[in-house]
Amino acid sequence: MIIVMKPGVSKEKIEIFKERLEKRGLMVHVDFGDNYCILGLIGDTRAIDPEQIQAYEEVEKVMIVQEPYKKANRLFHPEDSIININGRTIGGGKLAVIAGPCSVESEDQIVSIAEDVKEAGAGFLRGGAFKPRTSPYSFQGMELEGLELLKIAREKTGLPIVTELMGTKMLERFVEDVDVIQVGARNMQNFELLKELGKTNKPILLKRGLCATIEEWLMSAEYIMAGGNENVILCERGIRTYETYTRNTLDLSAIPAIKKQSHLPVIVDPSHAAGMWWMVEPLSKAAVAVGADGLIIEVHNDPANAKCDGQQSIKPNKFKSLMDSLKEIEKFKWSFNVDKLGI
Ligand code: PEP
Ligand code: MN
């Protein structure tokens, strides 16, 4: 952090200001120019609030040099993180695919889709039991009954289950029953929830917020990691832009950006990004090519009658052909290499 002092502030006042910062455990480098005095703060500036520093009348400007996230930062953890989930992994080179319906609707539905996606090569089963719907009148999910059905599907197929937790009320139950806890886009900045998840050691799939910047998204990961839980997987699921043709705009540039900034694995959700089933294939291929560690894809055996997101769900046979074609794309996959990029 760099602090530019206002012109004309006396040396005595600058000395007092410097001592105040040093008492907070920082080394302060003072540079007197012709007009301005500049203080360079060295050390762990995490607890220093730039807005609070800006509030001092002697201060002209505060500049942040280093990213505000530390645990999620590649700078302090150059190796890619690999998240272990019941013997399976996300991150570290091998493409991880999570597939299943938007929401669990019945035992037959979830078990049959789980069997189909497993057969096609998916490594994880998704399915919403508690659904964050825009309208309170829309189907809200089968809730705890849905969770039980997911467990049956896991038992029958061996696929670990990924499902969304919407608040802290069900946390203990999710820790007990679920393999990967999904934090939905609408909850990316539910800091109470993130803090509670930080106290567990469950893998967390953290979706990017509807309008979140990459830095805000990484700060949400930091909330979970700051509590001690470093098992975070990021998920780009499209952000809201001025474009209305698609449900959201898939930000593919977020993948290389995350790879440069963070060691955490990042996967892509082409289903919620596009909102149209026929775009799932091209966007999945693009996501793999640009370096995503995996995909989360909505698959439904009867999309026309799905209780949620049928329009963006692909059928199992389409999923199978997509999985086969991804093997070809993987050969050309971009991967982050600091030495090659020279950044
Ligand atoms: C979902 O995965 O079903 C979902 C609701 O996703 P998002 O939070 O990205 O909208
Ligand atoms: Mn959905």
Side-chain angles (χ1 to χ4, degrees):
M1 190 180 285
I2 291 169
I3 304 172
V4 182
M5 306 301 280
K6 280 196 177 132
V9 177
S10 68
K11 284 198 169 170
E12 291 72 30
K13 277 197 173 169
I14 287 171
E15 192 52 37
I16 295 169
F17 194 75
K18 176 177 175 254
E19 280 169 15
R20 204 181 279 142
L21 291 164
E22 282 169 342
K23 277 197 190 122
R24 296 171 74 169
L26 294 163
M27 257 172 67
V28 184
H29 195 85
V30 187
D31 242 332
F32 286 101
D34 286 345
N35 298 310
Y36 287 98
C37 168
I38 293 171
L39 310 188
L41 271 50
I42 303 157
D44 187 357
T45 52
R46 263 181 296 189
I48 308 285
D49 177 0
E51 284 169 13
Q52 191 229 326
I53 300 287
Q54 184 74 68
Y56 284 101
E57 58 178 17
E58 304 96 312
V59 172
E60 173 83 30
K61 199 156 68 170
V62 181
M63 288 182 282
I64 298 158
V65 185
Q66 214 170 60
E67 293 85 12
Y69 45 88
K70 302 281 182 241
K71 287 184 175 280
N73 201 325
R74 195 183 273 282
L75 202 61
F76 308 112
H77 188 304
E79 298 303 314
D80 285 340
S81 278
I82 300 174
I83 313 299
N84 275 297
I85 302 140
N86 300 352
R88 294 171 192 241
T89 54
I90 300 187
K94 188 172 163 277
L95 189 74
V97 180
I98 305 169
C102 180
S103 55
V104 181
E105 297 169 14
S106 68
E107 182 173 336
D108 279 356
Q109 176 243 20
I110 193 68
V111 171
S112 129
I113 297 173
E115 282 166 350
D116 287 344
V117 298
K118 181 186 177 184
E119 169 79 28
F124 304 84
L125 175 68
R126 64 150 288 151
F130 294 83
K131 293 302 305 175
R133 306 303 301 277
T134 301
S135 166
Y137 308 114
S138 302
F139 175 60
Q140 301 288 305
M142 291 182 77
E143 305 188 336
L144 287 177
E145 202 186 336
L147 200 53
E148 290 308 312
L149 299 182
L150 280 168
K151 284 161 65 184
I152 294 174
R154 173 174 59 197
E155 210 174 290
K156 295 208 165 153
T157 59
L159 293 180
I161 52 180
V162 183
T163 194
E164 179 167 352
L165 174 66
M166 292 209 294
T168 52
K169 205 170 81 188
M170 289 293 159
L171 180 69
E172 264 179 49
R173 182 73 187 262
F174 269 59
V175 168
E176 182 79 23
D177 287 349
V178 170
D179 302 300
V180 178
I181 299 181
Q182 178 173 325
V183 175
R186 291 152 193 82
N187 260 326
M188 187 205 83
Q189 284 191 321
N190 180 342
F191 299 120
E192 277 310 303
L193 178 61
L194 301 179
K195 280 186 204 167
E196 289 304 314
L197 291 169
K199 294 178 194 160
T200 75
N201 62 1
K202 272 279 141 178
I204 309 296
L205 180 65
L206 179 65
K207 289 195 145 194
R208 182 175 181 181
L210 305 177
C211 303
T213 64
I214 289 170
E215 185 168 295
E216 286 163 343
W217 186 19
L218 285 170
M219 285 308 283
S220 290
E222 190 77 11
Y223 258 91
I224 300 169
M225 299 174 88
N229 183 359
E230 308 216 339
N231 299 312
V232 179
I233 304 146
L234 299 164
C235 177
E236 160 63 38
R237 46 78 73 202
I239 45 172
R240 185 161 291 181
T241 65
Y242 57 82
E243 182 54 73
T244 55
Y245 186 80
T246 44
R247 184 174 179 179
N248 292 290
T249 299
L250 179 60
D251 180 9
L252 282 174
S253 64
I255 309 308
I258 290 287
K259 287 282 163 205
K260 177 176 176 291
Q261 296 301 114
S262 180
H263 52 91
L264 296 174
V266 57
I267 70 166
V268 167
D269 176 346
S271 314
H272 289 88
M276 290 174 238
W277 69 267
W278 62 270
M279 274 201 194
V280 169
E281 180 190 335
L283 296 183
S284 297
K285 290 177 171 172
V288 172
V290 85
D293 292 292
L295 295 162
I296 177 165
I297 298 177
E298 286 188 336
V299 178
H300 200 288
N301 48 3
D302 184 11
N305 290 301
K307 289 201 170 155
C308 185
D309 287 348
Q311 79 290 351
Q312 65 194 33
S313 302
I314 55 173
K315 291 185 181 167
N317 59 349
K318 179 88 195 145
F319 177 70
K320 169 93 180 88
S321 62
L322 171 61
M323 288 295 284
D324 292 343
S325 64
L326 290 179
K327 289 187 192 112
E328 287 306 302
I329 308 285
E330 265 194 278
K331 294 180 192 158
F332 306 102
K333 180 176 167 161
W334 179 83
S335 63
F336 178 75
N337 182 328
V338 73
D339 302 329
K340 250 199 270 172
L341 288 176
I343 47 178

